[in-house]
Amino acid sequence: MNFKNIFILFCATVLFSCENNETIIESDNLLIGFWVAPIYDGETITFTRTNSLPTDSYGFSFIKDQKANFVTERTSGFCGTPPLTFFDRQGTWELNSNNLKIYDINITNQFGAEPVLWYNYQILEISETELVLEHIAVAQEIDHRNLMDLFNEIQNLSYSVSCSNAADWLITEYGAKACGGPQGFIAYSSSIDTVSFLQKIETYTQAEKDFNFKYGVVSDCSIPSAPISVECQNGFPVFTY
């Protein structure tokens, strides 16, 4: 029986034991159980213990057997726009002193060896009813922030000139979907330093390709529609298709 099958079997056992709606608390390890209803205060997250994971909101379950420590995150992913669709991500966890690390069992690092560190937390408080964590940024989050900083530079350059004459505006694609093809298109004025702007686009696109490969990112395979031209509306470039 492989690692994932063990995980599924053990999860089924735990879920069956919770059908009587009793909240199971292990006094030897208070982390074991279900944690939901996160309250965010900066980098601090406070969870409440419950007897199961909700179907339509965020939460963690931590379980343990003789072979490994398993965790399930019920999440809607990076999408924050309603209606949200929640799904489960499986991983493993380790606790050293008050440092809680969570690993994704479905993704290995670029060398194909160890699972990728998914979350890194410091446990500030834990009791039979409450879990308080301090979030510590991991490599993927730091790389993603750097990627977004670069994209913000590109957007700022694009918006640095007011659109008054559509003939002065050009269009280029940017970014890289994990499934292939660009993320989208962006307009820019011919009056800016176009060489520098397009170099930033190229740098960003390659950085996103590297990010997708490094962290096993998945995406849909839809192809964004290519705009035909630009119109100026209220000083902003608007695509026409």
Side-chain angles (χ1 to χ4, degrees), residues 3-16:
F3 189 75
K4 291 183 181 178
N5 288 338
I6 294 172
F7 173 81
I8 293 170
L9 177 62
F10 193 76
C11 283
T13 303
V14 171
L15 290 174
F16 178 79

Side-chain angles (χ1 to χ4, degrees), residues 36 53-59 74-76 83-88:
V36 300
L53 288 178
T55 58
D56 57 356
S57 59
Y58 188 83
R74 184 151 296 167
T75 178
S76 60
L84 300 180
T85 301
F86 285 83
F87 59 92
D88 290 346

Side-chain angles (χ1 to χ4, degrees), residues 35-57:
W35 299 96
V36 300
I39 299 174
Y40 298 89
D41 182 10
E43 297 299 319
T44 301
I45 314 170
T46 301
F47 290 89
T48 300
R49 188 190 296 274
T50 187
N51 58 9
S52 64
L53 288 178
T55 58
D56 57 356
S57 59

Side-chain angles (χ1 to χ4, degrees), residues 102-116:
I102 299 176
Y103 299 89
D104 192 327
I105 63 175
N106 297 307
I107 302 175
T108 57
N109 62 26
Q110 63 268 42
F111 303 107
E114 297 298 326
V116 169

Side-chain angles (χ1 to χ4, degrees), residues 29 78 81 85 91 141 180 184 235:
N29 190 338
F78 288 108
T81 305
T85 301
E141 293 170 290

Side-chain angles (χ1 to χ4, degrees), residues 65-171:
D65 70 359
Q66 295 178 346
K67 296 181 181 295
N69 302 328
F70 299 106
V71 60
T72 297
E73 179 192 34
R74 184 151 296 167
T75 178
S76 60
F78 288 108
C79 179
T81 305
L84 300 180
T85 301
F86 285 83
F87 59 92
D88 290 346
R89 295 175 64 190
Q90 281 79 42
T92 60
W93 60 272
E94 63 180 26
L95 182 61
N96 294 313
S97 185
N98 287 325
N99 181 224
L100 173 63
K101 291 184 178 179
I102 299 176
Y103 299 89
D104 192 327
I105 63 175
N106 297 307
I107 302 175
T108 57
N109 62 26
Q110 63 268 42
F111 303 107
E114 297 298 326
V116 169
L117 179 60
W118 182 2
Y119 294 119
N120 190 10
Y121 295 114
Q122 191 72 15
I123 297 180
L124 302 181
E125 297 179 32
I126 188 168
S127 68
E128 293 184 353
T129 58
E130 190 174 80
L131 171 65
V132 183
L133 303 175
E134 180 182 16
H135 174 255
I136 303 170
V138 299
Q140 182 174 359
E141 293 170 290
I142 294 171
D143 287 348
H144 186 263
R145 289 176 187 175
N146 291 337
L147 197 60
M148 291 302 96
D149 287 344
L150 181 54
F151 185 70
N152 288 338
E153 289 181 25
I154 292 169
Q155 279 193 313
N156 290 337
L157 281 173
S158 173
Y159 297 148
S160 64
V161 177
S162 177
C163 184
S164 58
N165 184 355
D168 295 334
W169 288 76
L170 305 168
I171 301 170

